[in-house]
Amino acid sequence: MNGSPTRGRPYQNGYPANGSPIKNGSSYSNGHVSPTRNGSPTKSPVRSRSTSPSKRTSPIQVAPVNAVDEEPRKPGILQRFSNAIISTMETFFYKLGKSIGTHPIKYIIVCFVVTAICGICVGFLFTETTETNKLWSASDSEVIKNLEQVEQWFPSTTRIATLMVVETNVLTPQVLQNMFVYYNKSLTIETGDGYKLMNVCIKAGPNCLVNSILELWSYNETTIYGLTQQDILDTINTVTVSPMYFNAYDITTALGEIKRNSTGSIIESTSTKITYLLQGSDTMKDKSMAWESKFIELSQSEKGLSSVYFFATRSFGDEGGGAITGDVSLLSAGYFVLIIYVAVVLGRFNQVEQGIYLAFSGILCVGMSICVSFGLSSACGLEYGPLHSILPFLLLGIGVDDMFVIIGALNNLNPDEIELEIPEKIGHVLKHAGLSVTVTSITDVVAFGIGATTVLPALRSFCGFAAIGILGLFFFQTIFFTATLALDQRRRGADRNACCCCYVHKDYTPNSCSQKELLIMFFKKFYAPFILKLPVKIVLFILTLAIFGANVYGVVSLKQEFDSNWFLPTDSYASEYVVNSEKYFPGDGKAGSIYCGNIDYFGSKSKFDQMYTKIKESEYYSNGTLDSWFKSMTDFLLVTSDTNYTAKLDANKYPVDEQAFIELTHRYVTIDFKRFVRLFSFANSTGGDILASQMTFKFKNLPDSKTEIAAMDAFRKIITDAGFSGKCFVYSRSFLNWETNKVIQTELYRNLGLAFLCVFLVTLVLIANLWTCLMVSCCIMFTLVNVGGSMHFWGLTIETVTSIQLILAIGLAVDYSAHIGHTFMTIKGTRQARALETLSEMGPPVFNGGFSTFLAFVLLGGSNSYVFTTFFKVFFLVVWYGLFHGLVFLPIILSWLGPSPYLSADHIYHEKVPPSGDHVPHHSHAHDNKTMNGINNMAMTSSSKQLSNNGYPNRYGYPPNYDDIETVYIPPPDYTPPTTKKGLPRVAY
């Protein structure tokens, strides 16, 4: 390019290309004019030194005097709109940075005050919930409405505590005796308030209701200790009614893994349970919970039985909601690892240029943002749930990137800006970095903001916490970290020791080893030239398509499944109980009920008959499990000869009127068939209207969530088709999970689509080139598909945790690709040359951003929490595929199909790096500041996440080498050579 006319550089030798003198208000340097600042001309950013002008020529050549200017092309509407936004924001951030640089201590105090206020909100307003119905189902969903109605009709105040015993054979005298010893111990355990089992249990007569095979011998010590093996088997195979509670007794529900002989008699069983039923009313709930804690302690210390597993009503809240407590060490270790890494990246290995305090202040910003997130979210009424335990790691991974952006902007200040006083310098740093930090924050806040509109309470709450936390990160990194950066600049300017700021070094010279930039050298000399060789590009392009194709299959095969039990840590007693209970007591499907309120039962015979027939015919129904009181009573009325009934029947053996129907029903369920009484709610104890009733059944064992959803919808349709719409409904506790599975996929696709659209628009405005934006969007789409496909191969499913991370993946993936695409647009030259320069310049900061995010959660891979391990797996995939597409795939397609650069692109590619000792930039600049389309823009250029010096730039600039310039250089009137005095101007706080 040397010697050729340069578009946009109409000045030469102090005059315009047409020979006219320069008007007032502009200055010229090195052959081109720079706008004045506050009436004074600025200094040239292009400086070079050479001992022999014949050996080198200036990288920026000036057009001959008689050169004809090219007519500049006007930027398009999109570019002008982008420029207007960028210009306004950069002006704001410049003024803010200048103010922070002038009064850093004041801004630091403000940040601490804001954090303290939010901390007070946490103390007074913080709430937590682990209730399944409040976490995973929409508050206005059908299942929640049905649950509220069921609790109104049949309030459940029962709590349970269960011990599961697993032995080679539990039907032996020794095992039964050991179980009885345990039972006796449970009777004597006492809470801090002096409550024992007899005080908190539900009673059947004078006895506590404790279900186990021991009730077959009425918990009688003498009888149990006198049992022989044959006595046990005889009782087990003949019992039909509990001798203690006088209710029907099905032994197959009390034993697990039953083994029978050739005649069908039970001879062995490997497991059984002891279940305590406790009071759960408002007045007794706390007392029962305290007894449950003592029960858990007793079960944990049990030695007489070989294997025991235990669970109580409080267990899910204790173990699921408190999962984060067990992994505090991982959180602490993760923060420590990040501090070390950030200190290494932000500083150098010498006594003055270390960055340990800056690293600590950056991590402190994350801590303060967590406090703000919890405080403001609590003030907004959002509740903390099991998902929120990953929030500190999430904010840690995102927050570190913002530090790199700010330090990168400082490293990329031109020599003139480096020599400015600290307030002016910090103003320029924030001017260049503020927009980039804003862009990355906006994309993440938009993604989580859209997620916060979901109908799932747990997902909505987490996304709200995360969005507020990211806004907090933006505030503290922009204010607090920048203020500490200003203080650190003062320290470095005074040559104060990096660890002990009180000590001032005299005539300090850093060691040569600390000045090496290994990562930058690797990308420029090895990585970029290698992957952009044609054979390598072809292989990598084919590999990318192959990976994408395989993961498309994975996405199609990805299952949609959710179970709230997954949130129990795998090493917890509650999780062990759930796993073994499903193993030894698999059951014959989930239980369900059909509930009806105060309807016209008398006139609904045909409806009940139709419903009964359709349920029996359903492919999802478990045969023989439907227990319909209506069918049972009407069949009884057809054959009974009891005059108490026949006197009120018509010729068809059906009650003569509605009143007769109600009276006969009350007699039937309270006197003759008492097993149905628990399924009714009457207006009073003597009868009256039927306020509510239920019929029980069981589903078949359903193989997957898709079948479960189909079964739920099929039974709801049966009720509606029978004519009971709005009057009766089908409900099961399992519906809470099934309903979540039903909506979560739709919610995920909706949130991903809206987030992708918003990120696309933000990227389009800031990149201001449709073709480049489409390429960046292609990389984001490839990343999402590859992450989703790999989730299938890694055994993950679509549920709330993975949904959150897929939404966030959009925000992270755009960071890895958008900076590459934007930098490519600012470089002139061939596509191949521009791709090389882009990778050399943006490769290190993009890699640092991805690697720091990986370090933030790498320790979670060893956690026993489902939330943490899933977070690790998905984020590992996001970082891996995001970096792959940003640093491999995108440069390749840009080198083949990349669009022309911006009209005012200011980077010029140089194939050869200047020899050591020549202070010549590896690319030239057309202006004294980085511009895009005529407007100063470093939002996504080399200042974004780039640590070109792995620390701070040289404090000293150098004047142009006048002998090295072919044309005469006329310095501006106020030009002053840079000082060589150590230290930077001191500024008052």
Side-chain angles (χ1 to χ4, degrees):
M1 297 181 183
N2 294 345
S4 60
T6 306
R7 181 183 299 119
R9 301 179 185 176
Y11 297 98
Q12 54 182 338
N13 298 335
Y15 292 89
N18 59 9
S20 302
I22 302 173
K23 296 180 181 180
N24 293 336
S26 299
S27 64
Y28 43 86
S29 60
N30 210 21
H32 68 279
V33 173
S34 299
T36 60
R37 183 187 298 122
N38 299 328
S40 300
T42 60
K43 304 169 190 175
S44 169
V46 182
R47 300 167 185 259
S48 60
R49 293 182 296 168
S50 175
T51 56
S52 174
S54 61
K55 293 182 180 180
R56 293 186 65 84
T57 59
S58 170
I60 300 180
Q61 296 299 313
V62 182
V65 176
N66 59 354
V68 179
D69 246 356
E70 294 184 22
E71 184 68 24
R73 291 178 292 172
K74 293 179 63 177
I77 295 176
L78 181 60
Q79 292 174 342
R80 292 199 299 271
F81 177 68
S82 174
N83 292 341
I85 295 177
I86 293 170
S87 176
T88 302
M89 295 184 66
E90 286 189 336
T91 300
F92 167 78
F93 281 116
Y94 170 77
K95 293 179 179 179
L96 177 62
K98 186 176 179 181
S99 177
I100 293 173
T102 306
H103 308 288
I105 297 297
K106 293 181 180 179
Y107 280 94
I108 289 175
I109 292 174
V110 169
C111 291
F112 281 127
V113 170
V114 170
T115 304
I117 293 174
C118 293
I120 294 174
C121 292
V122 174
F124 286 97
L125 302 175
F126 178 80
T127 56
E128 179 179 5
T129 182
T130 56
E131 296 181 30
T132 302
N133 56 301
K134 291 184 178 181
L135 289 170
W136 314 118
S137 300
S139 57
D140 60 347
S141 65
E142 182 177 354
V143 68
I144 292 298
K145 293 177 181 178
N146 293 342
L147 173 61
E148 292 172 351
Q149 190 65 72
V150 169
E151 290 180 342
Q152 179 183 343
W153 289 336
F154 302 96
S156 175
T157 58
T158 303
R159 301 179 65 87
I160 64 165
T162 302
L163 178 83
M164 181 168 61
V165 179
V166 178
E167 299 278 357
T168 304
N169 181 14
V170 297
L171 302 180
T172 64
Q174 186 61 51
V175 173
L176 294 186
Q177 291 168 16
N178 290 337
M179 288 176 60
F180 183 76
V181 170
Y182 176 88
Y183 170 76
N184 273 340
K185 290 179 182 178
S186 69
L187 296 178
T188 60
I189 58 176
E190 187 174 331
T191 67
D193 295 332
Y195 285 87
K196 296 183 178 181
L197 177 62
M198 288 297 294
N199 304 120
V200 298
C201 71
I202 295 175
K203 294 182 179 180
N207 303 311
C208 283
L209 192 55
V210 182
N211 293 327
S212 76
I213 58 175
L214 296 180
E215 69 181 86
L216 302 182
W217 298 277
S218 301
Y219 293 102
N220 185 284
E221 181 175 2
T222 303
T223 303
I224 293 173
Y225 274 87
L227 290 172
T228 65
Q229 181 74 33
Q230 191 59 45
D231 292 337
I232 296 172
L233 295 180
D234 289 343
T235 303
I236 290 296
N237 285 287
T238 57
V239 67
T240 57
V241 176
S242 170
M244 188 167 186
Y245 304 121
F246 306 105
N247 61 299
Y249 195 91
D250 183 358
I251 191 62
T252 60
T253 63
L255 299 175
E257 290 192 340
I258 296 173
K259 183 178 180 181
R260 299 176 183 270
N261 60 17
S262 57
T263 62
S265 298
I266 298 174
I267 57 174
E268 285 184 10
S269 173
T270 60
S271 56
T272 188
K273 292 182 179 181
I274 304 176
T275 302
Y276 301 83
L277 279 73
L278 311 175
Q279 299 179 54
S281 62
D282 292 339
T283 57
M284 294 298 298
K285 179 179 178 181
D286 292 340
K287 301 177 180 64
S288 293
M289 290 182 66
W291 191 89
E292 289 172 26
S293 296
K294 293 296 181 180
F295 162 81
I296 292 170
E297 293 176 7
L298 173 65
S299 301
Q300 289 173 331
S301 61
E302 174 58 32
K303 304 297 183 183
L305 297 165
S306 299
S307 299
V308 294
Y309 305 96
F310 44 92
F311 188 89
T313 303
R314 67 173 301 153
S315 297
F316 190 90
D318 290 346
E319 298 295 303
I324 183 63
T325 306
D327 289 305
V328 169
S329 58
L330 293 178
L331 180 62
S332 303
Y335 273 65
F336 179 77
V337 169
L338 257 294
I339 289 175
I340 299 300
Y341 176 74
V342 173
V344 170
V345 173
L346 298 189
R348 295 180 175 182
F349 292 103
N350 59 62
Q351 298 180 63
V352 173
E353 296 176 305
Q354 292 180 32
I356 185 65
Y357 289 128
L358 269 182
F360 179 77
S361 70
I363 301 300
L364 186 58
C365 289
V366 178
M368 291 191 293
S369 69
I370 293 173
C371 185
V372 168
S373 172
F374 278 53
L376 295 183
S377 298
S378 298
C380 293
L382 298 177
E383 292 186 314
Y384 182 93
L387 289 178
H388 296 61
S389 57
I390 63 175
L391 189 62
F393 298 93
L394 173 65
L395 296 180
L396 181 62
I398 295 176
V400 171
D401 291 353
D402 294 338
M403 287 186 281
F404 293 155
V405 174
I406 294 172
I407 296 300
L410 179 63
N411 289 336
N412 285 278
L413 293 178
N414 63 45
D416 292 330
E417 294 169 334
I418 292 173
E419 296 169 12
L420 295 173
E421 292 187 352
I422 289 179
E424 287 283 345
K425 180 190 290 187
I426 297 300
H428 282 281
V429 168
L430 207 55
K431 170 186 176 182
H432 301 324
L435 185 58
S436 183
V437 173
T438 302
V439 170
T440 54
S441 299
I442 285 176
T443 55
D444 292 333
V445 169
V446 164
F448 280 117
I450 292 172
T453 64
T454 183
V455 299
L456 300 177
L459 182 57
R460 180 172 62 245
S461 175
F462 178 86
C463 288
F465 269 78
I468 293 174
I470 293 171
L471 287 176
L473 276 177
F474 172 73
F475 175 81
F476 289 118
Q477 295 288 10
T478 304
I479 304 296
F480 184 84
F481 182 74
T482 304
T484 57
L485 178 62
L487 294 178
D488 194 70
Q489 281 285 282
R490 296 180 185 180
R491 178 193 63 76
R492 293 197 182 202
D495 282 339
R496 293 183 179 275
N497 188 273
C499 295
C500 182
C501 301
C502 299
Y503 180 76
V504 179
H505 294 272
K506 296 181 179 179
D507 301 323
Y508 178 76
T509 301
N511 61 77
S512 58
C513 180
S514 67
Q515 309 303 305
K516 295 181 180 179
E517 309 295 346
L518 299 179
L519 185 61
I520 295 175
M521 183 184 302
F522 169 76
F523 269 87
K524 188 168 187 66
K525 292 187 176 181
F526 301 102
Y527 179 76
F530 175 75
I531 73 160
L532 290 177
K533 292 179 179 179
L534 182 59
V536 177
K537 287 196 290 186
I538 293 174
V539 171
L540 290 176
F541 183 78
I542 295 174
L543 177 63
T544 302
L545 296 183
I547 294 174
F548 179 76
N551 283 312
V552 166
Y553 168 79
V555 169
V556 173
S557 304
L558 187 62
K559 293 183 179 180
Q560 172 192 343
E561 189 171 354
F562 169 78
D563 188 343
S564 57
N565 289 327
W566 294 347
F567 290 91
L568 297 170
T570 55
D571 61 345
S572 69
Y573 73 84
S575 177
E576 291 177 350
Y577 173 85
V578 170
V579 171
N580 285 281
S581 181
E582 292 177 351
K583 174 183 178 182
Y584 294 106
F585 297 89
D588 54 353
K590 301 296 184 181
S593 294
I594 298 165
Y595 294 87
C596 294
N598 188 7
I599 65 173
D600 179 13
Y601 290 92
F602 171 73
S604 301
K605 184 178 186 303
S606 61
K607 297 179 181 179
F608 279 109
D609 289 343
Q610 178 183 339
M611 180 180 67
Y612 182 86
T613 302
K614 292 295 183 181
I615 290 177
K616 299 275 285 187
E617 295 174 351
S618 174
E619 61 180 306
Y620 308 109
Y621 164 70
S622 179
N623 292 330
T625 61
L626 178 58
D627 193 6
S628 170
W629 65 266
F630 192 95
K631 176 67 172 174
S632 176
M633 187 182 77
T634 53
D635 287 348
F636 170 79
L637 295 179
L638 291 174
V639 297
T640 185
S641 59
D642 189 339
T643 56
N644 291 309
Y645 290 96
T646 57
K648 298 179 182 181
L649 299 180
D650 60 18
N652 296 319
K653 299 292 185 177
Y654 193 72
V656 294
D657 54 28
E658 183 176 3
Q659 183 61 36
F661 182 93
I662 295 174
E663 292 175 358
L664 293 180
T665 301
H666 184 268
R667 179 180 180 84
Y668 181 78
V669 302
T670 59
I671 298 178
D672 296 309
F673 289 84
K674 292 182 179 180
R675 67 185 180 88
F676 287 121
V677 70
R678 64 184 180 86
L679 306 180
F680 277 84
S681 174
F682 290 98
N684 53 63
S685 58
T686 60
D689 287 344
I690 301 175
L691 301 181
S693 69
Q694 62 173 302
M695 305 175 190
T696 62
F697 67 94
K698 285 188 176 181
F699 292 97
K700 287 182 178 179
N701 281 318
L702 305 175
D704 51 43
S705 61
K706 184 178 180 180
T707 310
E708 290 170 344
I709 295 170
M712 179 176 64
D713 290 341
F715 270 71
R716 286 174 174 173
K717 187 174 186 301
I718 289 174
I719 305 301
T720 301
D721 291 347
F724 286 124
S725 179
K727 301 175 182 178
C728 298
F729 57 85
V730 60
Y731 173 78
S732 167
R733 291 292 298 182
S734 300
F735 281 9
L736 292 169
N737 283 341
W738 298 2
E739 189 79 28
T740 300
N741 284 329
K742 181 178 179 180
V743 302
I744 195 169
Q745 188 172 45
T746 303
E747 288 289 305
L748 174 62
Y749 292 157
R750 165 190 169 273
N751 293 340
L752 285 178
L754 291 175
F756 187 85
L757 176 62
C758 292
V759 168
F760 175 82
L761 293 176
V762 171
T763 306
L764 180 62
V765 168
L766 294 172
I767 292 182
N769 184 277
L770 179 60
W771 187 235
T772 302
C773 188
L774 289 174
M775 290 185 178
V776 170
S777 300
C778 177
C779 290
I780 298 173
M781 183 62 67
F782 272 39
T783 298
L784 284 176
V785 171
N786 287 340
V787 170
S790 297
M791 282 170 50
H792 165 71
F793 297 120
W794 211 338
L796 300 176
T797 62
I798 295 178
E799 37 82 18
T800 49
V801 179
T802 52
S803 296
I804 287 172
Q805 291 157 347
L806 286 174
I807 293 170
L808 179 61
I810 294 179
L812 294 179
V814 73
D815 290 349
Y816 301 137
S817 300
H819 295 309
I820 296 294
H822 187 274
T823 302
F824 181 83
M825 295 298 297
T826 66
I827 300 174
K828 294 181 178 179
T830 65
R831 291 190 179 103
Q832 179 75 5
R834 292 162 65 198
L836 279 167
E837 184 77 346
T838 297
L839 270 180
S840 300
E841 180 174 308
M842 288 306 299
V846 169
F847 176 81
N848 274 329
F851 188 67
S852 65
T853 302
F854 172 75
L855 285 180
F857 60 81
V858 63
L859 296 179
L860 299 183
S863 173
N864 291 313
S865 165
Y866 171 78
V867 175
F868 284 174
T869 54
T870 302
F871 186 82
F872 166 76
K873 292 177 182 179
V874 178
F875 259 48
F876 173 81
L877 296 173
V878 171
V879 171
W880 160 245
Y881 286 120
L883 288 177
F884 177 81
H885 292 112
L887 297 180
V888 177
F889 180 64
L890 184 57
I892 289 174
I893 60 175
L894 286 172
S895 70
W896 285 338
L897 305 172
S900 300
Y902 296 130
L903 299 180
S904 56
D906 58 353
H907 297 43
I908 302 175
Y909 175 72
H910 292 274
E911 294 185 4
K912 296 183 179 180
V913 181
S916 177
D918 288 1
H919 188 74
V920 181
H922 67 277
H923 53 252
S924 304
H925 300 278
H927 305 285
D928 69 329
N929 54 4
K930 291 177 173 60
T931 61
M932 184 184 81
N933 307 327
I935 299 295
N936 192 342
N937 174 29
M938 291 184 65
M940 299 166 75
T941 60
S942 59
S943 67
S944 296
K945 300 186 180 180
Q946 180 177 1
L947 301 176
S948 58
N949 295 321
N950 201 21
Y952 293 117
N954 188 349
R955 290 194 293 268
Y956 317 120
Y958 301 96
N961 181 10
Y962 310 132
D963 297 331
D964 199 29
I965 302 176
E966 295 178 353
T967 55
V968 179
Y969 172 78
I970 303 176
D974 65 343
Y975 177 77
T976 301
T979 177
T980 58
K981 182 180 178 180
K982 290 188 176 183
L984 293 171
R986 298 185 63 82
V987 181
Y989 288 104

